[in-house]
Amino acid sequence: MDPSDRVLVDACLSGDAEAWERLAREFTPSLRTAALRRLRLLLAGASEADAEDVLQRVLARLSADSGRVLASFQGRARLATWLTALVLREATGLARSERRTRARLARTEPAAEETPSALSDLVRREDAARLREALVGLPVGEALLLRLIYWDAVSHAEAARVLGIPEGAVPDRLARAREN
């Protein structure tokens, strides 16, 4: 083990904000690249935003609960290797989740009109197919948010609760999702 790895981990665990900044600054570029490569390997249409989500989740896990996850670093491998393994596991989990969500979205039809004509039924099905196709190309969080708001017609508060995000973040994320 590199002694500087242990020093950095111990400083982070003692609450040193500069150490956390150093950890993020030093490892973020390679961890983001690893996440993006894994996601692109496992998931069609994976984006840099997806890789950033993976990276942020891992960094949040490292610092949560007084650094419980970071405290599990035992130094059997270099810190960079250990962090990369965390990122790869998180990316694999995100890819699995996104594939399940995409499959669910592809199977789901919006509620049918009460008495559709043949033409309106055809238009509705074509619109639904285009919407599903568009959602498949988006990061899972954006696709789920669009579906909740526009397809399932839930409130911003309910969408925020389902996604585990602050309610105030919903409008910004909706705007970003619509741009994609």
Side-chain angles (χ1 to χ4, degrees), residues 53-68:
D53 285 348
V54 166
L55 180 60
Q56 292 306 316
R57 288 179 189 187
V58 169
L59 291 175
R61 282 183 45 218
L62 287 173
S63 62
D65 298 327
S66 301
R68 184 179 52 83

Side-chain angles (χ1 to χ4, degrees), residues 13-78:
L13 292 173
S14 71
D16 183 344
E18 289 180 17
W20 281 106
E21 288 176 23
R22 179 174 163 233
L23 183 138
R25 185 179 54 251
E26 188 173 321
F27 296 104
T28 291
S30 62
L31 296 176
R32 186 181 294 114
T33 299
L36 185 58
R37 285 185 180 154
R38 175 62 57 99
L39 287 168
R40 286 186 172 159
L41 177 68
L42 299 175
L43 188 65
S47 69
E48 290 184 20
D50 294 323
E52 186 63 31
D53 285 348
V54 166
L55 180 60
Q56 292 306 316
R57 288 179 189 187
V58 169
L59 291 175
R61 282 183 45 218
L62 287 173
S63 62
D65 298 327
S66 301
R68 184 179 52 83
V69 172
L70 185 59
S72 70
F73 173 70
Q74 297 177 355
R76 291 186 205 141
R78 291 181 33 238

Side-chain angles (χ1 to χ4, degrees), residues 2 4 7 9 20 43-44 47 49 64 79 122 139 148 171:
D2 184 343
S4 65
V7 170
V9 168
W20 281 106
L43 188 65
S47 69
L79 182 58
L122 177 62
L148 288 168

Side-chain angles (χ1 to χ4, degrees), residues 145 155-174:
L145 180 60
S155 68
H156 284 199
E158 180 65 13
R161 188 189 64 72
V162 168
L163 296 171
I165 62 174
E167 184 177 351
V170 171
D172 291 337
R173 291 190 185 195
L174 271 174

Side-chain angles (χ1 to χ4, degrees), residues 69-136:
V69 172
L70 185 59
S72 70
F73 173 70
Q74 297 177 355
R76 291 186 205 141
R78 291 181 33 238
L79 182 58
T81 303
W82 184 78
L83 291 170
T84 301
L86 290 177
V87 164
L88 294 177
R89 279 194 297 274
E90 185 69 30
T92 301
L94 177 68
R96 277 191 200 117
S97 174
E98 178 130 359
R99 284 194 311 262
R100 283 192 303 268
T101 299
R102 288 178 181 184
R104 229 179 4 260
L105 287 172
R107 290 189 310 266
T108 305
E109 292 273 341
E113 299 172 7
E114 290 182 15
T115 55
S117 68
L119 180 59
S120 67
D121 189 47
L122 177 62
V123 168
R124 183 187 53 78
R125 286 182 193 203
E126 287 176 352
D127 286 346
R130 280 196 301 272
L131 179 59
R132 280 193 303 272
E133 191 175 295
L135 290 175
V136 167

